[in-house]
Amino acid sequence: MSVNGAIWFMFTSAQQGEVESCTRRKVKRLLSFQRYCHASRLLRGLVPHTPGSLHLLDDDYLGQAGHMLSKVSAWNFDIFLFDRLTNGNSLVTLMCHLFNVYGLIHHFQLDMVKLHRFLGMVQEDYHSQNPYHNAVHAADVTQAMYCYLKEPKLAGQLSPLDVFLGLMAAAAHDVDHPGVNQPFLIKTRHHLASLYQNTSVLESHHWRSTVGMLRESGLLSHLPADMSQDIEQQLGSLILATDISRQNEFLLTFREHLDNQDLDLQLASHRHFILQIALKCADVCNPCRVWELSRQWSERVCEEFYRQGDLEKKFDLEISPLCNQQADTVPAIQTGFISYIVEPLFEEWQRFTEPSLLSQTMMGHLHKNKARWSRLRFTHPTSESQMQPHVEEDPEPEGGGGGGGGGGGGHEEDVP
């Protein structure tokens, strides 16, 4: 067996049935890593499951979760606690709540059974074994997106379709993430890298998986074909914007719009661009959170990096940037990530949303967290090579009305 073959034998050992049914899965589920394997276990009777199991909560816990949802716009919203209170169903519960808040179910005449089926599929397609890229991260990003949609500069300008797209893209932006980055998929010759020609591999997969679940659930089947197709395409545009290799492209365009003062939110194209920026901010905003939550996300994403590095080391592959646990410390990774990715983006977001209490709060946390990670670096000596994350060049006072988003992943598509 070749080295590449051995790597993927190890990496997908829990997904043995994939090869035999590859063609069928490509058609039915667009190359999902997770749901096919889960379904196979269900068919063998190894995992107890009932249709209502997502929502069988203890009354006390349900009450506490409901109380948290009443404060879902608070910047110190604890998504980890909320996930525990909902028995690991934070994404489904949060999305149903927000769809009700915005009246999206009535506006789009959505079938509740189909909506629950779709959201359950999305949540299930996230890999719970990933320390970072899991359904809790998706819920965190969704809650952050909700907070950004509530910004005064945006709230009055957005159409129901804008809100629908923003929340849906946030919930599904990392669906079926394998816990490794694009370079890893490319150098191990994974079929997704070949399928998407080594370009925005993970983001393309997240989008296509979302489209597959939309069609399988029939959530949009009652809408005119041209409308449902437009929704699918716009979801793709939003999810593909989270590719970190396009960071400079989006940042420069955003900065130019702000410098020229030519953003017109009456234009659908400009609102869509702001949704792209908002999703990018939500995806990497964990350094803007209170330290107790930000630190947890930082440790989780670095653990995911280190797992990839260990796998690369095991098979004598070059260890990817940020993935060497012996050389790349959490404080060094986070200091570089904040300096080169988060700060520049949120400085422009603050310019756009000004005056915004939420943006002031986020920037306050960002600067405090950066200083804290910088101090911690003195106890974790590192090399200069760790200072800057690898990014491809592209030719509320507390409670200030926001919601905590998950941070980026440092993995090509979203650095830590």
Side-chain angles (χ1 to χ4, degrees), residues 75 144-155 158 254 257-258 263 265 274-275 277-279 281-282 345-363 400-402:
W75 183 245
M145 175 61 89
Y146 171 60
C147 300
Y148 298 156
L149 296 179
K150 286 173 59 66
E151 283 282 23
K153 280 286 182 71
L154 271 180
L158 298 173
F254 193 27
H257 277 307
L258 296 176
L263 276 171
L265 296 183
I274 291 301
L275 287 178
I277 297 296
L279 181 57
C281 287
L345 180 60
F346 277 89
E347 285 172 354
E348 301 308 319
W349 182 255
Q350 184 177 35
R351 283 178 64 195
F352 168 67
T353 57
E354 189 178 11
S356 164
L357 181 58
L358 172 57
S359 285
Q360 292 175 18
T361 300
M362 290 193 299
M363 293 304 289

Side-chain angles (χ1 to χ4, degrees), residues 186-197:
I186 292 173
K187 65 188 175 185
T188 57
R189 300 179 183 178
H190 190 266
H191 61 269
L192 288 177
S194 175
L195 178 65
Y196 296 113
Q197 300 181 328

Side-chain angles (χ1 to χ4, degrees), residues 209-228:
S209 293
T210 303
V211 170
M213 288 182 284
L214 278 172
R215 295 181 181 180
E216 185 176 338
S217 67
L219 181 62
L220 306 180
S221 60
H222 64 291
L223 299 177
D226 58 343
M227 184 176 183
S228 61

Side-chain angles (χ1 to χ4, degrees), residues 94-222:
L94 179 62
M95 281 289 284
C96 286
H97 174 74
L98 296 181
F99 268 45
N100 277 309
V101 166
Y102 278 108
L104 298 177
I105 296 171
H106 174 74
H107 182 85
F108 291 102
Q109 294 295 295
L110 301 177
D111 183 299
M112 282 301 298
V113 173
K114 292 179 180 179
L115 177 61
H116 276 266
R117 184 183 183 207
F118 169 75
L119 294 175
M121 290 164 66
V122 171
Q123 181 173 271
E124 191 178 278
D125 248 13
Y126 280 95
H127 298 206
S128 60
Q129 69 268 30
N130 288 345
Y132 183 85
H133 288 104
N134 52 43
V136 184
H137 165 64
D140 207 20
V141 172
T142 301
Q143 195 243 353
M145 175 61 89
Y146 171 60
C147 300
Y148 298 156
L149 296 179
K150 286 173 59 66
E151 283 282 23
K153 280 286 182 71
L154 271 180
Q157 305 292 331
L158 298 173
S159 69
L161 179 58
D162 295 327
V163 174
F164 177 84
L165 289 167
L167 294 177
M168 290 280 282
H173 80 285
D174 271 334
V175 71
D176 201 32
H177 195 294
V180 293
N181 64 13
Q182 175 172 293
F184 185 92
L185 297 179
I186 292 173
K187 65 188 175 185
T188 57
R189 300 179 183 178
H190 190 266
H191 61 269
L192 288 177
S194 175
L195 178 65
Y196 296 113
Q197 300 181 328
N198 299 342
T199 303
S200 296
V201 174
L202 287 170
E203 296 77 19
S204 296
H205 178 59
H206 304 323
W207 168 37
R208 292 300 184 182
S209 293
T210 303
V211 170
M213 288 182 284
L214 278 172
R215 295 181 181 180
E216 185 176 338
S217 67
L219 181 62
L220 306 180
S221 60
H222 64 291

